[in-house]
Amino acid sequence: MSKILIVDDEVQIRTLLARMMELEGYDVCQAGDCKAALKQLELQNPDVALCDVFLPDGNGVDLVLSIKKAAPNVEVILLTAHGNIPDGVQAIKNGAFDYITKGDDNNKIIPLISRAVEKARMNVRLEKLEKKVGQTYSFDSILGESKALKNAVQLARKVSSTDVPVLLTGETGTGKEVFAQAIHYGSKRARQNFVAVNCSSFSKELLESEMFGHKAGSFTGALKDKKGLFEEANNGTIFLDEIGEMAFELQAKLLRILETGEYIKIGDTKPTRVNVRIIAATNRNLPEEISAGRFREDLFYRLSVFQIQLPPLRERVGDIRLLAKAFIANFSAQLSRPVTTETTPEFFATLEQQPWKGNIRELRNVIERSLIVCEGERLDVADLPLEIQHSHYEQSDEGAPGSFELSAMERRHIARVLEYTKGNKTEAARLLKIGLTTLYRKIEEYKI
């Protein structure tokens, strides 16, 4: 039940308003002055405060500031016996939901209270959502215990409180966007937009329009003005992924934003000013791109004021088990599969033997696929993709006393054929020239 705090020094008016609110189904608490109001605010945690302007120990307009400071989600409606435009303007500036006159506006109070209650509830929902988003994209959500990763996280934490540009480098799939989001949500811009754009996803002309916007009629098909992503990210953060793929001609526009905070839209004659923090990422070697004439040297130095290198997964072998367990728990819930994070010992050992050229993204995809095919409650090597199973058995056999036995060779050959047929056992049996029942028996026998 929503709760209303009524603040008025006249008992009769307070009682009348309280009765009206109770008849509408609201829970009501009362106070006769500013001091009592702030005490009730602390004890009762109301959704809306209905306050008189003139109180024995203060002014309702000033009380709005105190209430919003103590409880930002509470909406305040001011009541006054004498309409006063300057007071009304100041009340709204101080954060009041509305300002109405007693008597003349009695018929407006109930609908106004209803709207204020809905706004207060929305404030609470938004606060919870922001908190959840902040936790999801916080530095604490970056999993790993390796020294290289911890060093990268430490650097990112330090730079998050500033507005300097950041350049994230590392192989594909190492988590550059995750770091960019953590930097944004750890900064003073956290309540503003985080806009991500992949520079390799667009042609030069389309990327220019997407990033900087255009004016109507500036080119064929430009039927109306369009805001660019930099404008959408104003006062927030823009993440330019794959910055090394950006066309050389567009790099000059980006450099101008970094230097002046201004750019000119396609077809416009006046500059647009923005206040945006830029985080860029690339898997390319930008100094080599500069030498080849594909990337501006001046832009590189502006972007790389603070550079963070993210380590590949093969250099974080000790983190694979931790990441895999997190992915198992996540996909188990998403896919409604009763799979525990306690797998067979061979499962994690096999994961730790892989080169992971696609890094964390590849590991994530492998875990998701394994949960889909898993028929029990524990993941096993048999649930992994065939190419990973094959490498596991090859490494297990290599140098072993029985690695030259006919059965070991047969197992490897069957695994290769199954890999060739992408798991199609009927086709594999045909190529091996054995019966399907025999193939199933050998798969079970060799644990392929």
Side-chain angles (χ1 to χ4, degrees):
M1 181 185 294
S2 299
K3 186 174 288 186
I4 312 298
L5 168 62
I6 299 174
V7 187
D8 199 305
D9 59 329
E10 296 184 42
V11 177
Q12 289 183 335
I13 292 179
R14 241 184 16 239
T15 304
L16 175 63
L17 289 172
R19 182 60 180 157
M20 288 171 61
M21 299 302 112
E22 287 168 349
L23 288 173
E24 293 296 322
Y26 296 117
D27 194 5
V28 178
C29 54
Q30 301 179 36
D33 54 39
C34 295
K35 185 177 179 181
L38 293 174
K39 186 67 176 177
Q40 288 293 315
L41 187 73
E42 183 181 351
L43 295 174
Q44 301 293 336
N45 191 27
D47 298 289
V48 174
L50 189 60
C51 301
D52 189 16
V53 170
F54 299 105
L55 296 166
D57 59 347
N59 185 291
V61 176
D62 297 328
L63 181 60
V64 174
L65 279 176
S66 300
I67 290 175
K68 297 301 281 187
K69 183 178 180 181
N73 293 332
V74 175
E75 294 299 332
V76 185
I77 299 172
L78 285 181
L79 289 170
T80 180
H82 309 286
N84 183 307
I85 292 175
D87 277 354
V89 171
Q90 189 59 48
I92 299 301
K93 285 183 177 179
N94 288 357
F97 182 77
D98 210 336
Y99 181 97
I100 60 175
T101 306
K102 291 179 182 178
D104 293 342
D105 293 334
N106 282 347
N107 59 328
K108 297 180 180 179
I109 290 178
I110 298 303
L112 191 59
I113 288 286
S114 178
R115 293 199 301 273
V117 166
E118 184 56 38
K119 176 71 163 36
R121 287 175 178 170
M122 187 174 69
N123 293 342
V124 173
R125 289 196 297 269
L126 182 60
E127 184 181 52
K128 289 180 178 178
L129 181 61
E130 287 179 342
K131 187 175 180 181
K132 184 177 180 182
V133 168
Q135 290 171 343
T136 302
Y137 298 117
S138 70
F139 288 108
D140 293 334
S141 68
I142 299 175
L143 300 177
E145 297 296 329
S146 70
K147 185 178 179 181
L149 182 75
K150 284 189 170 183
N151 287 342
V153 170
Q154 186 179 19
L155 289 172
R157 282 185 188 274
K158 288 180 179 179
V159 79
S160 65
S161 60
T162 73
D163 267 343
V164 301
V166 178
L167 179 63
L168 301 170
T169 58
E171 297 177 8
T172 297
T174 49
K176 293 187 284 292
E177 185 164 353
V178 173
F179 266 77
Q181 289 170 330
I183 291 170
H184 170 72
Y185 287 104
S187 74
K188 60 187 177 183
R189 298 175 182 264
R191 295 176 71 92
Q192 304 299 325
N193 286 345
F194 174 85
V195 177
V197 56
N198 190 315
C199 299
S200 66
S201 299
F202 303 94
S203 65
K204 170 189 169 293
E205 293 76 15
L206 190 54
L207 181 61
E208 184 176 11
S209 174
E210 287 295 316
M211 288 178 60
F212 306 112
H214 60 250
K215 301 293 286 183
S218 57
F219 56 86
T220 304
L223 302 178
K224 58 182 181 180
D225 291 355
K226 177 183 176 179
K227 290 173 69 174
L229 295 178
F230 270 95
E231 209 168 344
E232 294 288 348
N234 194 26
N235 297 316
T237 302
I238 190 165
F239 174 55
L240 303 175
D241 199 7
E242 305 296 350
I243 189 71
E245 309 297 328
M246 181 180 284
F248 195 84
E249 296 82 356
L250 292 186
Q251 294 173 24
K253 265 195 168 182
L254 179 56
L255 179 63
R256 179 170 174 78
I257 293 176
L258 283 162
E259 291 179 339
T260 67
E262 293 182 346
Y263 65 94
I264 297 177
K265 294 181 180 181
I266 301 173
D268 204 353
T269 56
K270 295 181 297 184
T272 299
R273 188 163 189 83
V274 289
N275 175 15
V276 177
R277 195 223 187 123
I278 296 176
I279 302 176
T282 183
N283 58 11
R284 288 180 176 267
N285 186 319
L286 291 185
E288 289 183 0
E289 295 296 302
I290 292 169
S291 299
R294 292 189 291 266
F295 202 83
R296 293 180 65 108
E297 187 174 16
D298 48 3
L299 177 59
F300 171 72
Y301 289 122
R302 290 290 299 178
L303 287 173
S304 61
V305 171
F306 202 94
Q307 187 170 340
I308 302 174
Q309 174 74 27
L310 303 190
L313 191 55
R314 62 180 174 276
E315 294 178 9
R316 303 171 48 195
V317 176
D319 292 338
I320 290 176
R321 187 177 299 244
L322 181 65
L323 289 165
K325 284 189 173 185
F327 291 142
I328 292 169
N330 182 38
F331 287 121
S332 177
Q334 279 189 29
L335 301 171
S336 300
R337 304 298 297 271
V339 178
T340 71
T341 56
E342 298 304 318
T343 70
T344 61
E346 294 82 7
F347 183 83
F348 285 132
T350 303
L351 294 181
E352 289 167 353
Q353 293 168 357
Q354 302 308 305
W356 298 115
K357 294 179 181 178
N359 294 291
I360 299 171
R361 186 180 295 126
E362 183 186 359
L363 175 64
R364 181 182 183 275
N365 292 342
V366 165
I367 296 298
E368 183 178 18
R369 185 257 184 205
S370 298
L371 259 78
I372 291 171
V373 302
C374 179
E375 295 181 353
E377 295 183 355
R378 299 176 71 196
L379 290 173
D380 195 4
V381 175
D383 299 314
L384 291 167
L386 285 173
E387 60 272 16
I388 293 180
Q389 292 184 44
H390 179 56
S391 67
H392 164 71
Y393 291 124
E394 279 192 333
Q395 290 179 28
S396 299
D397 289 342
E398 189 176 346
S403 61
F404 300 110
E405 292 178 4
L406 187 61
S407 60
M409 295 175 66
E410 185 179 48
R411 182 177 67 178
R412 286 198 294 272
H413 184 59
I414 291 173
R416 287 194 184 96
V417 174
L418 283 168
E419 182 181 357
Y420 175 78
T421 62
K422 294 182 171 51
N424 187 324
K425 296 178 178 62
T426 302
E427 178 65 11
R430 186 186 69 79
L431 292 172
L432 289 165
K433 293 185 170 34
I434 60 175
L436 188 58
T437 305
T438 303
L439 176 60
Y440 272 104
R441 179 173 57 77
K442 289 185 179 293
I443 289 172
E444 179 67 26
E445 177 185 348
Y446 295 142
K447 297 185 176 358
I448 297 175

